[in-house]
Amino acid sequence: MTPAVFSHGDLRLYLLSLLAEAPQHGYGIIQALTDRTGGTYTPSAGTIYPRLAKLEEEGLVSKTVDGRTTIYAITDAGRAELAGREGDLAGIESGLADSVRLIANEVRQSVQDAMKSLRADLAAAANDERTSAKGRTRSTASPMPDERVTSREELHRADASINAFRARVRTDLRTHVARGGTLQGSVVTDLEASLDAAARAITRALTPPSP
């Protein structure tokens, strides 16, 4: 199970660091947190706004209203607290980097496991087909040698296609994370579901129809 992205009190300090970079409205803060945690953490408005209100009460954050938008900015007192806790902030930044690496590793493992399952299903389906074929041809002539060679060649071709697909997905995932892209849990779930559906479809295609 993936550990919590922020420990107790860390989010408060990290909000100050975000506002030290530039004033932000609430949605911008939520989006920044999502981006910087690689999609591992998307806080709700009910999490962010009470903390901003608390920081305002403490005099560390100020807010201004521009039409229907509320903009939050760090105060001098907020900058002073941030400066006094540089070591703590460095630890939080390191933890966020670890979280991004962890989610990337989990996605790669999920893809690898799904591809192993797909290859196993292909092998099992091919074995079942050979067994069924033997049963159907006991009273008839055996397949010609060239037919068996063609079957093996096609199996190698299918295996090569699976390896190429796995390499392409793995490269795309690494590139996406390395460029700072977000990778939300819902995307991983959809990926796992798509791979499972593909494996089932291939298994059905390889399974001979019932007589």
Side-chain angles (χ1 to χ4, degrees):
M1 181 178 180
T2 304
V5 175
F6 289 100
S7 299
H8 180 70
D10 286 353
L11 179 57
R12 173 182 179 277
L13 185 61
Y14 199 71
L15 289 176
L16 286 176
S17 73
L18 289 177
L19 293 176
E21 295 176 6
Q24 285 269 26
H25 51 74
Y27 177 77
I29 293 172
I30 292 173
Q31 189 60 49
L33 284 166
T34 300
D35 292 342
R36 298 193 184 195
T37 59
T40 62
Y41 179 66
T42 301
S44 65
T47 296
I48 295 302
Y49 286 105
R51 283 172 171 76
L52 290 172
K54 181 65 175 176
L55 290 171
E56 184 185 7
E57 289 178 5
E58 296 172 0
L60 305 178
V61 166
S62 64
K63 70 178 181 182
T64 57
V65 179
D66 182 9
R68 299 178 61 181
T69 302
T70 300
I71 304 297
Y72 297 88
I74 192 170
T75 63
D76 290 341
R79 292 184 185 280
E81 174 160 339
L82 199 59
R85 298 186 60 186
E86 288 183 357
D88 293 337
L89 183 60
I92 295 173
E93 293 283 2
S94 177
L96 292 180
D98 289 341
S99 294
V100 172
R101 284 193 293 270
L102 178 60
I103 192 64
N105 289 336
E106 288 178 350
V107 171
R108 284 196 294 269
Q109 187 61 50
S110 295
V111 172
Q112 290 171 3
D113 291 345
M115 295 312 300
K116 287 179 181 178
S117 176
L118 178 58
R119 295 179 66 180
D121 287 343
L122 281 172
N127 184 64
D128 290 344
E129 174 60 21
R130 287 194 296 270
T131 301
S132 299
K134 288 179 180 179
R136 293 194 300 268
T137 59
R138 283 176 182 172
S139 60
T140 61
S142 299
M144 296 298 290
D146 59 340
E147 293 177 345
R148 290 196 295 269
V149 170
T150 300
S151 180
R152 287 196 297 272
E153 290 176 347
E154 291 303 317
L155 184 59
H156 289 317
R157 180 184 171 193
D159 192 61
S161 296
I162 292 170
N163 287 334
F165 173 79
R166 175 180 177 274
R168 177 180 176 182
V169 172
R170 186 176 184 183
T171 298
D172 288 346
L173 287 170
R174 285 181 169 180
T175 302
H176 181 71
V177 173
R179 290 176 177 175
T182 62
L183 196 59
Q184 299 185 10
S186 60
V187 175
V188 180
T189 299
D190 290 343
L191 174 63
E192 292 172 338
S194 297
L195 290 173
D196 183 65
R200 293 177 183 275
I202 292 173
T203 300
R204 287 196 298 270
L206 292 172
T207 302
S210 302

